[in-house]
Every structure is written in C-alpha cells, then in structure tokens.
Amino acid sequence: MSEQTETMTADLEALEEGAPKVGIIMGSKSDMDEMQKAGDVLAENGVDYEIRVMSAHRDPDVVADYCHNARMRGLRVLIAGAGLSAALPGVAAAHSDLPVIGVPLSSRLSAAGGLDAILSVVQMPPGVPVAAVGLDNPRNAAHLALRILKA
Ligand code: RP5
C-alpha cells in the first residue's frame, strides 16, 4: 500500500469512528422517553447511534429519504419504534436493505393492550423482513443490534 493510500485509509477510519452505526427512529415525540432506552444500551456498549422522530403516516417522505440514505451514511442497523398501527418498522424495511428491528410500543390509545402494534410490526409480507422485539422493550432491540454488528 502506498503512503498516500495508507493516509487516506487512516483518514476514512477516523471519520468512520465518530459516525453513527445504528439509527433509532420512532413515530412520535411521545415515544422518545421509551426509545431513548435503546440508545442508552448502545452508548453503554460504546456504539455510536443517532435518534430521530419521523412518522410513517405523518412524514412519509422524510422516512423514505432517511431510509434510502441510511446505508450510504454508514448506518448498519435501524431500530424503529412505533405504537398503534405501527407502520414505521415495515416502511423502513421497504425503503432500506439494512436489518430493521421493530419495537412495538403501547400508548394511551392502544387497542388490546398493545397487540395492535405487535401485529403491525410482525405481520410483514415475505421478502420484507422486520425483526421484532417484545412490547415496550427497546433495550432488547439495542442488544439485538449489538449482536448484528458483531456477527
Ligand atoms: C404512533 O402513534 C406513535 O409511534 C405513537 O406511539 C402513537 C401516538 O402518537 P402521538 O399521538 O403521541 O403523536 O404513530
């Protein structure tokens, strides 16, 4: 490897070091306290992440842009949390080929104690996979993301 190539590789590695590897997205600001718990687990394990609110129903174009660009921006896994008719994880999986981990969330308006969100996250058509963790369990989404990053 030439000296110039070595320098460029070192520069790229340094750039990559601070770049988020996991994108945590959620359907509403009201999901933030819960979803931040996934970020806390990633931070405890030294993994850089970013966390954003974007609704599959209210901001469909933002979600599509974010997911289309995710891999190019260096993200390796997406964690998506949503409640009610929880479309966000599935829409993320439709717009990105990165692994998507869905977190079904319960809320004041949940039907059947959150079963609405569980089914919305899990019942994806063949070819568009979403890995689902348990209801209100964003910590497990982060632990699964850590395993995916190490695989
Ligand atoms: C979903 O609806 C969100 O993910 C949230 O869990 C639920 C309620 O949203 P808000 O009405 O609080 O914005 O889209």
Side-chain angles (χ1 to χ4, degrees):
M1 203 187 293
S2 76
E3 206 174 301
Q4 193 186 7
T5 312
E6 263 177 42
T7 312
M8 277 171 64
T9 308
D11 285 350
L12 279 175
E13 279 169 4
L15 263 179
E16 265 181 21
E17 239 167 60
K21 292 277 179 294
V22 179
I24 302 174
I25 56 178
M26 69 208 79
S28 169
K29 247 187 347 193
S30 63
D31 300 326
M32 184 57 91
D33 286 353
E34 195 60 21
M35 292 305 294
Q36 181 56 54
K37 294 173 187 170
D40 295 347
V41 169
L42 295 172
E44 283 158 19
N45 286 275
V47 169
D48 293 313
Y49 69 94
E50 62 183 19
I51 188 160
R52 307 238 177 118
V53 175
M54 57 185 79
S55 163
H57 298 113
R58 295 165 176 149
D59 323 296
D61 295 341
V62 174
V63 174
D65 282 352
Y66 180 84
C67 295
H68 279 143
N69 293 325
R71 179 183 287 281
M72 189 192 65
R73 294 181 49 242
L75 295 171
R76 303 266 311 280
V77 183
L78 298 176
I79 295 175
L84 306 179
S85 171
L88 186 61
V91 171
H95 288 295
S96 172
D97 63 351
L98 292 174
V100 176
I101 306 170
V103 185
L105 298 172
S106 62
S107 79
R108 192 172 48 86
L109 297 173
S110 291
L115 187 60
D116 49 2
I118 293 173
L119 293 176
S120 301
V121 171
V122 170
Q123 289 290 67
M124 288 297 294
V128 190
V130 169
V133 294
L135 185 68
D136 297 329
N137 199 341
R139 287 189 181 90
N140 256 7
H143 285 293
L144 181 54
L146 291 169
R147 290 185 180 201
I148 292 170
L149 290 172
K150 282 187 203 144

